[in-house]
């Protein structure tokens, strides 16, 4: 038994790990001593040549060597993994003093915003907000509204036809009024507005769009007169354009109302003195309205001798253009983010 070799290995093991800087090196060292042909393994193989009296002592010495090696191995293995973890944690540390990354925040669509504003005013006066189909039947879009086939009023509302001349994209939101009257059964008062998309076969330019939005409303009850319409319009105009807004009616013509009016507000820029927005008239036209035509009431199941009502219609784009000084209707439909940035409604509120 060569005790010298064992002694040498022992001191070797004590300093062996000082050069270990990573797990790779650590595993190499393990293979060098405890691997198949490792130094300690080789020494164990010599047991068979040791004389019987010394076998026990030799065995103990070998075990001592193994234990020493394993102890050192565990110690360095733990140190290395702790160091790796610390390094990882240091690299992932969040510096709370760094400036925050700015997350872009959206703004409500300008037309939706206007519609919601109008809806709120009408809901506060007891109106319902009613929805209707954008793909509509000729019957609801024209015929029930006193615009029979071949009537010249249809020319101004030329739209997109889907099936023959029966199914079309609605050219106005008025068919929702017809539908509401019919479903009300002719014996109940109605107070409703029906905002939504409408379509016409117009070539797009600064003031025309093949798609636009209307906010129409209808009130049917007993003893309703034009002065009720005037009062209602006055409330909504003041709400949208300020308490100093003055309103007026001018006679007009629509097929589904009689009498019909165009509704003007005093110019909110020049306060009536005259400017480019109001074309020096001091007035701006914002909607069309009138008393529901007796034929329309009759067509939709209401007896015009008992019931009267008024109807009105705003263009949502026109309201938004006036309110925010937008001069091109195409701005609303070009999905240009600069639009929502420029007219950020959060600041307006
Ligand atoms: Zn003006």
């Amino acid at each position: 038994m060569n005790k010298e070799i064992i002694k040498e290995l022992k001191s070797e093991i004590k300093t062996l790990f000082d050069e270990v800087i990573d797990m790779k090196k650590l595993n190499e060292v393990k293979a060098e001593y405890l691997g198949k042909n490792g130094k300690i393994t080789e020494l164990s193989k010599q047991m068979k040549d040791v004389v019987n009296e010394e076998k026990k002592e030799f065995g103990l010495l070998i075990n001592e060597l193994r234990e020493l090696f394993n102890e050192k191995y565990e110690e360095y293995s733990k140190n290395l993994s702790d160091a790796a973890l610390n390094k990882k944690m240091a690299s992932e540390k969040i510096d709370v003093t760094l400036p925050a990354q700015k997350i872009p925040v959206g703004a409500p669509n300008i037309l939706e915003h206007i519609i919601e504003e109008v809806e709120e005013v009408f809901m506060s006066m007891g109106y319902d907000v009613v929805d209707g189909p954008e793909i509509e039947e000729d019957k609801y879009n024209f015929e029930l509204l006193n615009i029979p086939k071949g009537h010249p009023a249809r020319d101004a509302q030329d739209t997109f036809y889907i099936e023959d001349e029966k199914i079309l994209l609605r050219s106005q939101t008025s068919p929702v009024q017809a539908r509401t009257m019919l479903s009300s059964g002719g014996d109940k008062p109605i107070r409703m507005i029906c905002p939504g998309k409408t379509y016409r076969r117009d070539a797009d330019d600064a003031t025309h769009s093949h798609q636009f939005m209307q906010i129409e409303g209808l009130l049917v009850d007993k003893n309703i007169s034009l002065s009720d319409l005037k009062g209602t319009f006055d409330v909504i105009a003041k709400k949208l354009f300020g308490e100093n807004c003055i309103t007026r009616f001018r006679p007009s013509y629509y097929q589904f109302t009689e009498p019909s009016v165009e509704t003007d507000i005093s110019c909110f820029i020049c306060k009536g003195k005259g400017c480019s927005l109001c074309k020096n008239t001091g007035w701006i036209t914002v909607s069309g309205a009138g008393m529901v035509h007796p034929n329309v009431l009759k067509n939709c199941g209401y007896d015009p001798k008992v019931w009267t009502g008024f109807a009105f219609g705003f263009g949502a784009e026109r309201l938004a253009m006036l309110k925010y000084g937008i001069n091109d209707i195409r701005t609303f439909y070009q999905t240009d983010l600069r639009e929502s940035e420029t007219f950020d409604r959060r600041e307006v509120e």
Side-chain angles (χ1 to χ4, degrees):
M1 179 170 73
N2 194 342
K3 284 190 183 173
E4 277 308 303
I5 295 178
I6 295 175
K7 212 175 157 189
E8 259 174 48
L9 272 177
K10 209 169 176 174
S11 61
E12 219 177 277
I13 289 167
K14 279 178 182 160
T15 56
L16 185 64
F17 290 90
D18 293 349
E19 285 165 37
V20 171
I21 45 154
D22 56 22
M23 290 304 282
K24 185 171 172 274
K25 181 76 186 159
L26 187 70
N27 288 327
E28 277 170 19
V29 168
K30 190 175 183 181
E32 198 186 331
Y33 284 80
L34 292 177
K36 211 169 131 196
N37 301 312
K39 288 180 182 178
I40 298 174
T41 316
E42 287 297 325
L43 203 62
S44 318
K45 286 177 189 167
Q46 291 173 17
M47 179 71 102
K48 61 182 189 305
D49 305 323
V50 175
V51 288
N52 278 347
E53 303 85 73
E54 291 180 357
K55 268 195 188 342
K56 192 181 170 188
E57 193 194 353
F58 185 75
L60 284 171
L61 287 170
I62 299 281
N63 274 347
E64 222 174 88
L65 267 186
R66 274 184 198 279
E67 268 167 34
L68 177 67
F69 185 92
N70 283 333
E71 215 173 90
K72 284 273 179 193
Y73 177 86
E74 289 303 327
E75 183 191 331
Y76 275 81
S77 173
K78 187 176 181 303
N79 287 348
L80 283 173
S81 57
D82 282 355
L85 184 66
N86 287 340
K87 198 176 161 192
K88 192 164 182 277
M89 280 168 74
S91 72
E92 289 173 1
K93 199 168 109 185
I94 296 164
D95 185 349
V96 291
T97 64
L98 280 174
Q101 210 172 9
K102 212 177 167 196
I103 300 165
V105 181
N109 176 279
I110 199 161
L111 293 176
E112 290 296 332
H113 184 75
I114 284 275
I115 288 170
E116 273 172 29
E117 222 176 322
V118 176
E119 279 177 1
E120 265 172 44
V121 182
F122 278 103
M123 284 194 292
S124 73
M125 296 190 282
Y127 282 67
D128 292 326
V129 179
V130 182
D131 218 359
E134 286 173 35
I135 297 174
E136 188 53 279
E137 288 177 47
D138 183 277
K139 180 175 112 182
Y140 294 102
N141 195 76
F142 290 125
E143 278 182 44
L144 291 173
L145 301 170
N146 206 26
I147 313 175
K149 283 207 167 57
H151 194 282
R154 287 195 179 210
D155 294 346
Q157 292 202 24
D158 196 12
T159 183
F160 300 94
Y161 287 88
I162 289 172
E163 208 182 286
D164 300 330
E165 291 204 341
K166 284 195 190 116
I167 310 289
L168 44 84
L169 292 184
R170 66 181 182 191
S171 61
Q172 48 189 350
T173 44
S174 317
V176 188
Q177 300 184 10
R179 285 175 177 276
T180 306
M181 280 190 270
L182 283 169
S183 65
S184 297
D187 57 358
K188 283 184 282 294
I190 296 170
R191 258 189 253 185
M192 58 84 88
I193 59 164
C194 45
K197 290 191 200 103
T198 52
Y199 305 85
R200 287 191 198 173
R201 236 166 61 174
D202 278 338
D204 293 359
D205 62 28
T207 52
H208 295 85
S209 171
H210 64 280
Q211 177 192 325
F212 54 101
M213 292 184 101
Q214 282 189 337
I215 311 167
E216 283 198 15
L218 170 75
L219 185 140
V220 177
D221 210 328
K222 289 168 184 166
N223 303 317
I224 298 298
S225 72
L226 201 63
S227 61
D228 295 306
L229 172 61
K230 182 88 163 71
T232 305
F233 176 66
D234 206 61
V235 169
I236 183 87
K238 283 184 165 53
K239 210 84 183 172
L240 289 177
F241 296 101
E243 280 304 311
N244 297 324
C245 182
I246 302 165
T247 57
R248 74 170 188 189
F249 281 0
R250 282 180 296 113
S252 187
Y253 173 79
Y254 300 108
Q255 192 65 16
F256 31 81
T257 44
E258 179 59 35
S260 302
V261 294
E262 275 189 66
T263 60
D264 294 348
I265 55 164
S266 55
C267 180
F268 49 86
I269 300 285
C270 64
K271 312 281 180 244
K273 288 192 199 84
C275 69
S276 63
L277 181 70
C278 59
K279 300 193 181 78
N280 284 317
T281 63
W283 295 95
I284 299 168
T285 303
V286 291
S287 71
M291 300 305 291
V292 183
H293 196 289
N295 286 353
V296 175
L297 286 169
K298 215 185 311 171
N299 290 346
C300 298
Y302 276 80
D303 182 352
K305 290 191 189 79
V306 181
W307 301 88
T308 46
F310 61 74
F312 53 87
F314 297 92
E317 289 85 355
R318 177 148 176 84
L319 289 183
M321 285 165 90
L322 286 171
K323 197 162 179 189
Y324 298 108
I326 299 166
N327 53 20
D328 194 325
I329 195 170
R330 289 169 291 194
T331 309
F332 301 113
Y333 296 105
Q334 284 169 339
T335 61
D336 188 335
L337 279 180
R338 287 173 299 183
E339 178 266 319
S340 63
E341 282 161 13
T342 308
F343 305 105
D344 193 332
R345 266 73 61 200
R346 282 164 303 166
E347 284 166 24
V348 175
E349 275 158 1

